[in-house]
Amino acid sequence: MVVRTITNIPQANANDQSAIITSWQHSTGSKVNKGEVVCTLENTKSVFDVYAEEEGYLYPLHNDGESLPVGAALYVISSDKDDTEKAVRDWVNASANTSSSTGAPPTKKAIILAKRHNIDLSLVPSGGARVSEKDVQAYLAKQSSPSSRKKAAIANLPRGADTVLDSYKSDHKQNVLIIGAGNGAVQILDALRQSDTQQAVGLLDDDPDLSDKTVMGLPILGGCDSQTLASLWEKKSFDAAIVSISTNNAFRKLICERLKEAGIPLANVIHPRAYIGMNAKLGSGNVILAFCQIAACAEIGDDNFLSAYVSIEHHSKLGNHNSFGPGVLTSSSVQIADQCKFGTGVFIEPWISIGSKSVIASGCTITQDVSENTIVKSTNAPSSKPLPKQ
Amino acid sequence: MSRPPTYLEGLQRALHSHFENEPKAVILGEDIVDPYGGAFKVTKGLSSSFPDRVFSMPICESSITGMGIGLALRGFKPVVELMFGDFSTLAADQLVNHAAKFPAMYGQGVSLPLVVRTPMGGGRGYGPTHSQSLEKMFLGIPNLSVVSPSLAHDTEKVLTNALNREEPTLFIESKTLYPLPIYKGNKEVSIESLAHKDGYPIAIARNYSPDQKPDLLIIAYGGASLPVLETLEHYKEEEIHCIAAFPANLSSPPLEELATLGALARRIVIADEGHETFSWYSELSHSLQQILFGQLEAPIQHASATCELIPSNFEQETEVILSKAKIEAAATKALEW
């Protein structure tokens, strides 16, 4: 294999940007040894020698007397005795061209844009010599525009298909299966009675005494075990499930996980008289009963049970599997973790955070953070005594 | 079309016209008389044309400057040349406690039209005591103007404006810019001049067309303009729309104009050749954030010399002083924020 190396005009001092070739010590194609003087250059301050960095056959690229900028290719040393001047010059030109055209990097603007949008630049097709800002923008538009995604999906639908990508027809009501057939279920049934978009289809309960009975006219279809759930789901007996048990959050969590595992969606059941504010975020599997407020920018996770008159104030954040008695009022920016249980009539001050699995007794006013696994009792429990006799 | 004058030629022309138009003009400095004509040739030819008004002085910056102050008080229009800006420290007492104070302390009617010219900056391998940019030591002194033209300025105009003023001016020139032609723009970068009420124009460079919006504003002055202009040329092909502003008046920078450009670009880099910390860039970024707080996409970034002695060795000097690489690193930080 032929090994060729280029030597460039060196920067001999800080003030000179060029040098003049005064003489070559060897003729074209002659052998030079490592450390031998190859040529002599001159700048404004001095005349200096250039030494061969390796042994080989010399091919000068310029003549005596020529002035060249610092960094310009000066000569080539080839390992091949039979190399030719033409081959060397072609190689020099080719290597100069490769470095400037093929494999050119994307523009800095393209790199910055790609970083900002977290995209892999190697996936972006280039419209010119280099990947440009325009190329990245075109790629981004294709990738992230929901309208273009939807357009593509519709174009791929078979003839006669519905353009709304939804399995329900416009008059379809979501069929809701209620887990637990106690008083919680009654409250859910009452809320669903008001709904135009949802209807209850049945209940499940592990209590064998309840099997084959009904709740407000709806059948109890079996226990809450995975098998029953799976077989009902397979028969398309319902579209989504909701947990009605408000007294045992660990059990709520267990059922919730069981449903998710089976791929069964959780329904939100929201009484029409509840208020959901702007930008409020809601997970799934939540029961929100009459006169509740989920204020602007509040966030609710999954599988929570909110009795009547519960207010989750703006910017508050509620985790998963929590249950609330009636009249629990949070102030703004309250954080409640998972599996907490609230009694009736609890007030929570702004910016308070309540850790997981805590229990807050009825009538408490929470003025400081509650860590997890904590029971909070009211210290001002009223005492009572008989009225004095008249 | 003839080539534009060099940075140096503009300064030479300003001195020649000043001496032609102003019979009271005199100049004092070290080795400024022909045939040597000064270490950087700014006074070349001046002593041949005006032999009785060009004085080569003993090596004593304080007395040269002091004499200039005396001449100015007595009605002359003196110019003082300090061979290297590094030795402005020797004239500091004269500048700070005398030139900047006398007009006010003497009461009414005394003016002090003195221009002290001196070159600053590295890049030539002159080592720790001949490569510094010490102008920041003279910033924030009441009644002392500090002025420096960039490569995109008409240096003749800027020096003429300083020469026509009635108050003392420290005029900073750039060693690296002297031999270079005034930057008039090319296919990558266009130049315009923004007039300012103090008579010192702001040179504006941009590498994008007027109907596009800038991604970045770079503010610099004097010798720092060269790596900034190189950055703009490079950024043209990188699609980074960059506007550069080079104010000439350092002690009283045109904040309103700079803030307007900053609000447009929303990302700002300030480059100066001084050692980093407690510098022109730090004062300017403070003033700009007072105006632009909340309007920027990124904190104002800076590029400057590192805070260490400037070595003579070319490679090591390049590491320490301001460079295009440092400006681009700061720009990347601002752009990627």
Side-chain angles (χ1 to χ4, degrees):
Chain A
M1 204 186 99
V2 185
V3 178
R4 302 184 181 110
T5 49
I6 301 180
T7 296
N8 300 320
I9 299 270
Q11 175 97 48
N13 73 52
N15 291 329
D16 280 307
Q17 290 307 313
S18 65
I20 298 166
I21 305 169
T22 48
S23 64
W24 289 99
Q25 306 299 321
H26 301 272
S27 55
T28 300
S30 59
K31 174 101 193 280
V32 291
N33 294 313
K34 190 175 172 180
E36 233 180 306
V37 175
V38 176
C39 64
T40 308
L41 304 180
E42 182 186 340
N43 63 20
T44 56
K45 289 250 170 76
S46 62
V47 173
F48 58 99
D49 297 328
V50 180
Y51 301 94
E53 279 177 17
E54 47 232 290
E55 165 186 306
Y57 301 89
L58 175 72
Y59 291 89
L61 299 170
H62 301 277
N63 298 323
D64 296 3
E66 273 188 57
S67 172
L68 295 167
V70 168
L74 180 59
Y75 62 82
V76 169
I77 288 182
S78 169
S79 66
D80 184 4
K81 191 165 172 271
D82 301 322
D83 219 341
T84 65
E85 185 169 358
K86 186 178 178 304
V88 167
R89 284 191 184 274
D90 287 350
W91 174 79
V92 169
N93 291 338
S95 50
N97 287 338
T98 10
S99 59
S100 67
S101 68
T102 58
T107 66
K108 191 170 176 65
K109 187 74 156 285
I111 294 169
I112 287 167
L113 256 178
K115 261 193 191 167
R116 195 165 290 154
H117 293 280
N118 207 14
I119 59 171
D120 181 356
L121 264 177
S122 65
L123 302 175
V124 179
S126 167
R130 305 172 67 182
V131 173
S132 67
E133 179 189 15
K134 231 178 174 175
D135 297 331
V136 176
Q137 277 168 345
Y139 180 83
L140 273 171
K142 236 191 210 164
Q143 291 304 302
S144 60
S145 147
S147 67
S148 64
R149 270 210 304 271
K150 191 180 168 196
K151 231 176 150 183
I154 286 172
N156 290 330
L157 284 175
R159 284 180 77 84
D162 199 318
T163 57
V164 177
L165 307 172
D166 195 328
S167 49
Y168 298 149
K169 288 187 175 163
S170 61
D171 60 350
H172 177 85
K173 282 192 175 186
Q174 185 185 46
N175 290 319
V176 179
L177 179 70
I178 300 168
I179 315 284
N183 287 342
V186 174
Q187 294 177 79
I188 290 176
L189 284 170
D190 180 56
L192 286 175
R193 195 173 60 89
Q194 314 275 343
S195 173
D196 293 332
T197 57
Q198 290 172 305
Q199 62 189 10
V201 290
L203 305 96
L204 298 183
D205 202 294
D206 285 337
D207 186 347
D209 292 346
L210 290 174
S211 64
D212 298 332
K213 298 192 170 71
T214 61
V215 178
M216 295 173 100
L218 279 170
I220 297 170
L221 302 167
C224 314
D225 53 286
S226 302
Q227 222 177 336
T228 311
L229 280 167
S231 89
L232 288 170
W233 180 241
E234 225 163 83
K235 283 190 265 173
K236 302 205 174 201
S237 305
F238 66 101
D239 299 318
I242 183 110
V243 186
S244 71
I245 300 122
S246 63
T247 47
N248 187 340
N249 288 331
F251 187 68
R252 286 189 74 87
K253 190 180 175 208
L254 177 78
I255 297 291
C256 190
E257 280 166 0
R258 199 176 282 172
L259 290 167
K260 281 186 179 166
E261 221 168 85
I264 297 170
L266 288 154
N268 278 317
V269 172
I270 302 168
H271 194 284
R273 297 272 173 89
Y275 174 75
I276 311 289
M278 270 173 73
N279 291 322
K281 282 187 195 159
L282 215 56
S284 60
N286 295 297
V287 178
I288 299 173
L289 295 176
F291 311 115
C292 281
Q293 176 192 220
I294 311 297
C297 304
E299 287 181 34
I300 311 287
D302 294 336
D303 191 38
N304 295 289
F305 192 105
L306 278 62
S307 300
Y309 292 103
V310 170
S311 172
I312 305 297
E313 229 348 319
H314 65 92
H315 297 98
S316 290
K317 217 172 155 179
L318 181 56
N320 309 313
H321 323 296
N322 296 289
S323 67
F324 295 81
V328 176
L329 307 183
T330 83
S331 193
S332 72
S333 308
V334 167
Q335 302 238 9
I336 297 168
D338 300 328
Q339 293 187 65
C340 292
K341 200 169 163 185
F342 292 81
T344 302
V346 175
F347 298 97
I348 307 170
E349 292 223 320
W351 298 103
I352 292 290
S353 132
I354 296 176
S356 286
K357 296 183 183 171
S358 289
V359 178
I360 315 292
S362 295
C364 285
T365 300
I366 309 295
T367 56
Q368 53 190 11
D369 287 353
V370 176
S371 49
E372 55 180 21
N373 294 311
T374 305
I375 295 180
V376 184
K377 291 179 183 168
S378 175
T379 52
N380 57 355
S383 60
S384 60
K385 56 179 182 180
L387 279 169
K389 284 184 181 154
Q390 299 282 313
Chain B
M1 207 177 81
S2 63
R3 73 162 176 85
T6 62
Y7 188 90
L8 173 66
E9 285 163 354
L11 300 173
Q12 289 170 334
R13 287 179 194 182
L15 286 177
H16 274 267
S17 337
H18 183 59
F19 273 66
E20 268 159 30
N21 302 332
E22 176 53 76
K24 291 279 195 184
V26 291
I27 184 161
L28 323 168
E30 293 158 8
D31 280 338
I32 59 171
V33 168
D34 289 338
Y36 190 64
F40 295 97
K41 313 302 166 200
V42 184
T43 56
K44 187 103 181 146
L46 205 60
S47 67
S48 304
S49 304
F50 310 97
D52 53 342
R53 291 195 275 152
V54 180
F55 302 95
S56 274
M57 303 290 288
I59 303 176
C60 186
E61 282 77 3
S62 56
S63 3
I64 304 172
T65 308
M67 201 166 150
I69 292 168
L71 285 163
L73 287 173
R74 298 297 298 158
F76 285 86
K77 298 276 188 181
V79 179
V80 163
E81 175 176 304
L82 304 178
M83 194 186 277
F84 280 89
D86 305 71
F87 306 119
S88 60
T89 52
L90 294 162
D93 182 56
Q94 289 297 331
L95 284 168
V96 175
N97 288 324
H98 297 215
K101 304 289 188 290
F102 285 166
M105 288 170 72
Y106 281 179
Q108 297 161 334
V110 182
S111 62
L112 209 154
L114 169 72
V115 173
V116 178
R117 296 178 27 251
T118 192
M120 296 275 191
R124 296 174 65 104
Y126 290 164
T129 60
H130 290 74
S131 306
Q132 299 168 93
S133 299
L134 296 179
E135 54 273 25
K136 67 175 173 182
M137 294 174 64
F138 297 94
L139 294 168
I141 307 295
N143 299 334
L144 180 63
S145 285
V146 184
V147 170
S148 181
S150 73
L151 192 59
H153 275 104
D154 179 342
T155 51
E156 181 179 359
K157 228 182 206 166
V158 179
L159 181 53
T160 302
N161 190 48
L163 292 168
N164 288 336
R165 299 177 80 87
E166 293 298 312
E167 79 267 0
T169 303
L170 179 59
F171 192 88
I172 308 298
E173 298 164 5
S174 162
K175 275 174 234 143
T176 45
L177 298 186
Y178 279 138
L180 304 179
I182 297 298
Y183 195 93
K184 299 280 193 192
N186 48 40
K187 67 181 196 317
E188 282 94 19
V189 177
S190 64
I191 297 289
E192 58 195 284
S193 176
L194 201 62
H196 192 260
K197 56 182 185 295
D198 64 11
Y200 291 115
I202 309 152
I204 305 285
R206 65 179 96 216
N207 67 358
Y208 56 94
S209 64
D211 57 317
Q212 294 172 312
K213 278 188 75 178
D215 299 314
L216 178 70
L217 166 67
I218 306 181
I219 305 171
Y221 68 83
S225 59
L226 180 59
V228 170
L229 289 165
E230 287 169 354
T231 300
L232 260 65
E233 288 176 3
H234 174 216
Y235 273 3
K236 172 75 175 183
E237 65 195 64
E238 298 297 332
E239 303 186 288
I240 306 289
H241 299 168
C242 192
I243 186 163
F246 306 117
N249 189 342
L250 313 189
S251 46
S252 175
L255 288 178
E256 217 175 282
E257 287 81 353
L258 295 176
T260 304
L261 296 175
L264 197 67
R266 299 161 69 86
R267 293 171 202 273
I268 302 177
V269 167
I270 307 179
D272 83 44
E273 292 184 297
H275 293 296
E276 69 183 345
T277 72
F278 304 95
S279 204
W280 187 74
Y281 76 75
S282 44
E283 172 61 25
L284 190 57
S285 68
H286 165 76
S287 306
L288 287 177
Q289 69 90 7
Q290 295 278 327
I291 308 172
L292 293 173
F293 185 73
Q295 293 186 59
L296 300 178
E297 295 284 344
I300 298 173
Q301 303 296 324
H302 77 267
S304 62
T306 53
C307 201
E308 47 193 322
L309 302 195
I310 300 173
S312 302
N313 171 284
F314 180 73
E315 280 79 18
Q316 290 176 349
E317 183 184 34
T318 309
E319 292 287 303
V320 172
I321 62 174
L322 179 71
S323 62
K324 175 167 161 274
K326 284 186 182 175
I327 293 168
E328 292 198 0
T332 301
K333 223 169 147 189
L335 289 164
E336 287 187 350
W337 196 273

